[in-house]
Amino acid sequence: MPKIGMEPIRRKALTDAAIEAIGARGSMHVTMSDIAGRAGVSPALAHHYFGSKEHLIAESVRSLLRDLRADADRALKAAANHRARVSAIIAVSFSDKQFSDEVVAAWLAFYVDAQRAPEIGRLLSIYARRLHSNLMSGLKPLAGESDAERIAEGAAAMIDGLYIRKALGAGPARHDAVALVEDHIETQLSELRRRTI
Amino acid sequence: MPKIGMEPIRRKALTDAAIEAIGARGSMHVTMSDIAGRAGVSPALAHHYFGSKEHLIAESVRSLLRDLRADADRALKAAANHRARVSAIIAVSFSDKQFSDEVVAAWLAFYVDAQRAPEIGRLLSIYARRLHSNLMSGLKPLAGESDAERIAEGAAAMIDGLYIRKALGAGPARHDAVALVEDHIETQLSELRRRTI
Amino acid sequence: MPKIGMEPIRRKALTDAAIEAIGARGSMHVTMSDIAGRAGVSPALAHHYFGSKEHLIAESVRSLLRDLRADADRALKAAANHRARVSAIIAVSFSDKQFSDEVVAAWLAFYVDAQRAPEIGRLLSIYARRLHSNLMSGLKPLAGESDAERIAEGAAAMIDGLYIRKALGAGPARHDAVALVEDHIETQLSELRRRTI
Amino acid sequence: MPKIGMEPIRRKALTDAAIEAIGARGSMHVTMSDIAGRAGVSPALAHHYFGSKEHLIAESVRSLLRDLRADADRALKAAANHRARVSAIIAVSFSDKQFSDEVVAAWLAFYVDAQRAPEIGRLLSIYARRLHSNLMSGLKPLAGESDAERIAEGAAAMIDGLYIRKALGAGPARHDAVALVEDHIETQLSELRRRTI
DNA sequence: CATGAATGAGTTTTCATTCAT
DNA sequence: TATGAATGAAAACTCATTCAT
């Protein structure tokens, strides 16, 4: 059994394991051994492939973002109109996969870690900008630049807030979370339409 | 240098130092030495008074919550009517003191730590419930139980989300944050008034 | 309320508390705070009176020995004849006071501490010699120097062994312990009488 | 320098070093650094293999007991008759290896530690029971159940007592210790034979 | 006489990381 | 490619002891 071409397999297994471990514990307080163990390899191998825990974590965040982006792109492509684009983004944010206990807990842990690790901060800022621009792509045609900006900002904050509340175990269920954000958007748009008439 | 009655002084200095240290580093990754050093005492004294790091942290969260509650109570007392009560709560959440980089970073760190330390989780849940009930006390008379519930939920999520974004350095400034939440509330109430006419 | 003449009272309270604490925990792993707390004073006062934990412990051992000696002296005085003197010593060794769980545990702890603290070792050697000479005072007239020596040595070892087994919770009850040593002595004396006829 | 299969070697070296260190100091007051240093490894490695000091100590006691049992089994196998079995057990208890200053001091330290650590207590109880049953296996055929019980109990106490006295530096030499216990047994059996005729 | 305040020195434990194989 | 072996550095926690009052 040739042991060739293992690198991509191991890297994937390790970043998945890192997210899993961090999500399970709800904090960065996981050891390389934990992570490597979950991936079925030795801690030394994790180092071999990533150089340091720092790098492995950063790569894991990147993987999470890639995943989220792919989901968002797919959902946007399927959206029939501007309004549907906005709903698509919201739906992805609260999909079973993204809004699972584990992934939410991992996100929150990464947010905190961003304070210490600039690279993580950079990556999360990218996510924040992308969420904003995704929302804007649907809202701008409906509300105009300035109002869209305000509505998107509010929706984004609400989404992040619902994540934090979920992590605390105090937030609404998946379905209600979607309703809350949709309601915010709908009410804002409705008010806008009324005024501009 | 009085040598008696130091206990309350030291306890206060230590919980303040803990929040300061955690806020500065943006995570629980602070040592008892860091904290004690900021308070101008030895790590051993911190243990002497609190028994463990765990207890010191919990006490610090309690102190933060007491502070927030006192601010909220003061602000509510000064509010002339229901609508003003809602604005008072929002204003307190984004006051210079509560929305400072340091305090926001500490809050976020505590949120993550809540995953590991049930006591912290309990305390943060209390905060979440109190924020909700404070908002409800103003909104219920204006919107009725069920709609008030929805509006408060959305506002609370938005507030928490703005905290997380602030911690990431990606959020709006203090003033815009208030505007965003106020706008959410105002729009929701306005829409409601329109419908119920 | 004059605070004069407290010294002997405090010293007694502290040595008693030390034995109590060590007996309760079954090892020297007691803190000055434990001891002082049991004596109802501050750790600082214990230091004031004894200078160091080392000295307090040594004084506690001395106190235990004084007590044992007083009991032995009383019992010997009441003994009608040589044989009764031997039984008196055995009875004292297994009296309710000396053979209590607490005192036995303290003795054992002191034995171990003697390895580290020469002063404790010196004191325990005094006890060993005194036990031996007390037994000898009764046995020599009955068995002659050389045989008395052997019988006393065996009895002393048996007594110490019964202490160790009691500490482990594996030994016989107080009454059976006495019977065992008495049986050893009686059998030895009886065998001796038979031979010397 | 082979780099594989070190685990059993290190484990053995560490338990040996623990007994050595505890024996040398005569108490449990040895640090992981002491022990690891004697074994020629870092304290971290000791933790790596045993998880905690507690576990390392327990394993060391187990090792001591295994050793003693092996010696006893060997000696019993070589014994020609019942009386020889009894002597074999006594001889093993006072063999050069088991009755060395170091091992005796370690035993005593373990006895005290048993008060605090239930696992150690359990192990020492096993030893006490085994010593008893080993003595009984030789004595019962010679003296009958009830008398054998009493003789064994006395002999076991005497053996333990001689250990404690050795640790204190107050006991008889190896040879005299054996003579004392043998004399106890022989006298008891002789008295018994005389009576039952 | 008595103590609350305070600490230095020491101990166990954890963990990312390195390295020889 | 992969790992078992090993450690240095750091952190929480303990406790005898000192000192000012």
Side-chain angles (χ1 to χ4, degrees):
Chain A
M1 228 195 300
K3 283 283 190 172
I4 223 152
M6 291 304 282
E7 175 152 0
I9 296 169
R10 296 302 193 201
R11 293 185 80 99
K12 179 72 165 66
L14 281 163
T15 49
D16 284 357
I19 294 165
E20 195 183 301
I22 292 165
R25 195 170 295 271
S27 87
M28 304 306 290
H29 235 106
V30 293
T31 69
M32 283 296 256
S33 289
D34 283 351
I35 297 171
R38 275 172 197 266
V41 299
S42 72
L45 194 66
H47 269 272
H48 177 64
Y49 280 128
F50 292 93
S52 73
K53 190 186 183 182
E54 200 77 16
H55 284 27
L56 167 54
I57 299 294
E59 202 49 45
S60 302
V61 176
R62 260 183 224 107
S63 151
L64 214 50
L65 281 168
R66 251 196 311 271
D67 215 47
L68 187 54
R69 172 174 230 171
D71 283 2
D73 286 352
R74 248 192 310 277
L76 285 174
K77 208 162 282 174
N81 55 43
H82 296 313
R83 188 59 186 79
R85 291 175 69 82
V86 178
S87 290
I89 293 304
I90 296 169
V92 165
S93 288
F94 296 105
S95 71
D96 279 351
K97 194 190 349 165
Q98 300 297 341
F99 204 58
S100 69
D101 284 354
E102 203 174 71
V103 171
V104 165
W107 271 114
L108 190 52
F110 289 142
Y111 263 97
V112 167
D113 202 45
Q115 314 287 323
R116 215 182 37 84
E119 176 67 2
I120 307 292
R122 218 179 47 77
L123 292 170
L124 294 184
S125 291
I126 291 174
Y127 150 75
R129 272 199 302 279
R130 197 180 299 149
L131 173 58
H132 184 78
S133 83
N134 278 340
L135 289 170
M136 285 297 282
S137 83
L139 288 169
K140 205 154 45 168
L142 299 174
E145 172 103 36
S146 136
D147 282 311
E149 196 76 46
R150 181 176 43 83
I151 300 173
E153 198 80 37
M158 212 179 255
I159 291 171
D160 281 0
L162 287 162
Y163 266 67
I164 224 182
R165 292 173 100 74
K166 158 102 173 176
L168 193 62
R174 202 176 73 75
H175 193 266
D176 295 331
V178 170
L180 227 43
V181 183
E182 286 285 358
D183 173 59
H184 168 72
I185 306 246
E186 202 45 56
T187 309
Q188 291 280 345
L189 289 177
S190 142
E191 175 84 3
L192 213 61
R193 277 191 297 268
R194 201 164 48 81
R195 271 194 218 156
T196 49
I197 288 166
Chain B
M1 221 196 301
K3 275 296 187 175
I4 215 160
M6 292 302 283
E7 176 154 358
I9 296 170
R10 295 305 189 202
R11 292 185 86 98
K12 179 73 167 64
L14 282 163
T15 49
D16 284 357
I19 294 165
E20 195 183 300
I22 291 164
R25 196 171 296 272
S27 87
M28 305 306 288
H29 236 108
V30 293
T31 69
M32 284 297 254
S33 289
D34 283 352
I35 296 171
R38 274 171 198 267
V41 300
S42 72
L45 194 67
H47 270 98
H48 177 65
Y49 281 128
F50 291 93
S52 73
K53 191 186 180 183
E54 200 77 16
H55 284 28
L56 168 53
I57 300 291
E59 202 50 45
S60 301
V61 176
R62 261 182 225 108
S63 150
L64 216 50
L65 279 168
R66 253 196 310 273
D67 218 48
L68 187 54
R69 170 172 232 173
D71 283 2
D73 287 351
R74 249 192 310 277
L76 285 173
K77 207 162 284 174
N81 55 45
H82 295 315
R83 187 60 185 79
R85 290 175 68 83
V86 178
S87 290
I89 292 305
I90 296 168
V92 164
S93 288
F94 296 105
S95 70
D96 279 350
K97 198 195 336 170
Q98 300 296 342
F99 204 58
S100 68
D101 284 354
E102 203 174 71
V103 171
V104 165
W107 272 114
L108 190 53
F110 290 143
Y111 264 97
V112 168
D113 202 44
Q115 312 288 324
R116 216 182 35 87
E119 176 68 2
I120 306 291
R122 217 179 48 77
L123 292 170
L124 294 185
S125 292
I126 290 173
Y127 151 74
R129 273 200 301 279
R130 197 181 298 151
L131 174 58
H132 184 78
S133 84
N134 278 339
L135 289 170
M136 285 298 282
S137 83
L139 288 170
K140 206 155 43 170
L142 300 173
E145 172 101 35
S146 136
D147 283 310
E149 197 75 48
R150 182 177 41 84
I151 300 173
E153 199 78 39
M158 212 180 256
I159 291 172
D160 281 0
L162 287 163
Y163 266 67
I164 223 181
R165 293 174 99 73
K166 156 102 175 176
L168 194 60
R174 199 175 74 74
H175 193 267
D176 294 333
V178 171
L180 227 43
V181 184
E182 284 286 0
D183 173 58
H184 168 72
I185 305 245
E186 202 46 56
T187 309
Q188 291 280 349
L189 288 176
S190 140
E191 175 83 2
L192 213 61
R193 279 189 299 266
R194 202 163 50 81
R195 272 194 217 156
T196 50
I197 289 167
Chain C
M1 228 198 298
K3 283 285 191 168
I4 223 153
M6 291 303 282
E7 175 151 0
I9 296 170
R10 296 301 194 202
R11 294 184 80 98
K12 180 71 166 66
L14 283 163
T15 48
D16 284 357
I19 294 165
E20 196 182 299
I22 291 165
R25 195 170 293 273
S27 87
M28 304 305 291
H29 235 105
V30 294
T31 69
M32 283 296 256
S33 289
D34 282 352
I35 297 171
R38 274 171 197 266
V41 299
S42 72
L45 194 67
H47 267 273
H48 177 65
Y49 280 128
F50 291 93
S52 73
K53 190 186 182 183
E54 200 77 17
H55 285 28
L56 167 54
I57 299 293
E59 202 49 45
S60 303
V61 176
R62 262 184 222 106
S63 150
L64 213 52
L65 281 169
R66 253 196 310 272
D67 215 49
L68 187 54
R69 170 173 232 173
D71 283 3
D73 286 351
R74 250 191 309 278
L76 285 174
K77 208 161 281 174
N81 54 44
H82 295 314
R83 187 60 186 80
R85 290 175 69 82
V86 178
S87 289
I89 292 305
I90 295 169
V92 165
S93 287
F94 296 105
S95 70
D96 279 351
K97 198 197 334 171
Q98 299 298 342
F99 204 58
S100 69
D101 283 355
E102 204 175 68
V103 171
V104 164
W107 272 113
L108 191 52
F110 289 143
Y111 263 96
V112 167
D113 202 45
Q115 313 287 323
R116 217 182 36 85
E119 176 67 3
I120 307 292
R122 218 179 47 78
L123 292 170
L124 293 184
S125 291
I126 291 174
Y127 150 75
R129 273 200 302 278
R130 196 179 298 148
L131 174 58
H132 184 78
S133 83
N134 278 339
L135 289 171
M136 285 298 284
S137 83
L139 287 170
K140 207 157 38 171
L142 300 173
E145 171 103 35
S146 138
D147 283 311
E149 195 77 46
R150 182 176 42 83
I151 300 173
E153 198 78 38
M158 212 180 257
I159 290 171
D160 281 1
L162 287 163
Y163 266 67
I164 223 182
R165 292 172 99 74
K166 157 103 175 177
L168 192 61
R174 200 176 73 74
H175 192 267
D176 294 332
V178 170
L180 226 44
V181 184
E182 286 285 359
D183 173 59
H184 168 72
I185 305 244
E186 203 45 56
T187 309
Q188 289 280 347
L189 288 176
S190 142
E191 174 84 0
L192 212 62
R193 277 190 300 268
R194 201 163 49 81
R195 271 194 217 157
T196 50
I197 288 166
Chain D
M1 220 197 302
K3 275 295 190 178
I4 215 160
M6 293 302 283
E7 177 155 358
I9 297 170
R10 295 305 190 201
R11 292 184 85 97
K12 180 74 166 64
L14 281 163
T15 48
D16 285 357
I19 294 165
E20 195 182 300
I22 290 165
R25 196 171 295 271
S27 87
M28 305 305 290
H29 236 106
V30 294
T31 68
M32 284 297 255
S33 289
D34 283 351
I35 297 170
R38 274 171 198 268
V41 300
S42 72
L45 193 67
H47 269 97
H48 177 64
Y49 282 127
F50 291 94
S52 72
K53 190 186 180 183
E54 200 78 14
H55 284 28
L56 168 53
I57 299 291
E59 202 50 44
S60 301
V61 175
R62 257 180 228 111
S63 150
L64 215 50
L65 280 167
R66 251 195 311 273
D67 217 48
L68 187 54
R69 171 172 231 175
D71 283 3
D73 286 352
R74 249 192 309 277
L76 285 173
K77 206 162 284 176
N81 55 45
H82 296 314
R83 187 60 186 78
R85 289 174 70 84
V86 179
S87 290
I89 292 305
I90 296 168
V92 164
S93 287
F94 296 106
S95 70
D96 279 351
K97 200 199 330 173
Q98 299 297 342
F99 204 57
S100 69
D101 285 355
E102 203 175 70
V103 171
V104 165
W107 272 113
L108 190 53
F110 289 143
Y111 264 96
V112 168
D113 203 44
Q115 312 288 323
R116 215 182 37 84
E119 176 68 2
I120 306 292
R122 218 179 47 77
L123 293 170
L124 293 185
S125 291
I126 291 174
Y127 150 75
R129 273 200 301 279
R130 197 180 299 150
L131 173 58
H132 184 78
S133 84
N134 278 340
L135 289 170
M136 285 298 283
S137 83
L139 287 169
K140 205 155 44 169
L142 300 173
E145 173 103 35
S146 136
D147 283 309
E149 197 76 48
R150 181 176 42 82
I151 300 173
E153 198 80 38
M158 213 180 255
I159 291 171
D160 281 0
L162 288 162
Y163 266 68
I164 223 182
R165 292 174 99 74
K166 157 100 175 178
L168 194 61
R174 199 175 74 75
H175 193 267
D176 295 331
V178 171
L180 228 43
V181 185
E182 286 285 358
D183 173 58
H184 168 73
I185 306 249
E186 202 45 55
T187 309
Q188 291 280 346
L189 289 177
S190 140
E191 174 85 1
L192 212 61
R193 278 190 298 268
R194 202 162 50 80
R195 272 194 215 157
T196 50
I197 287 167

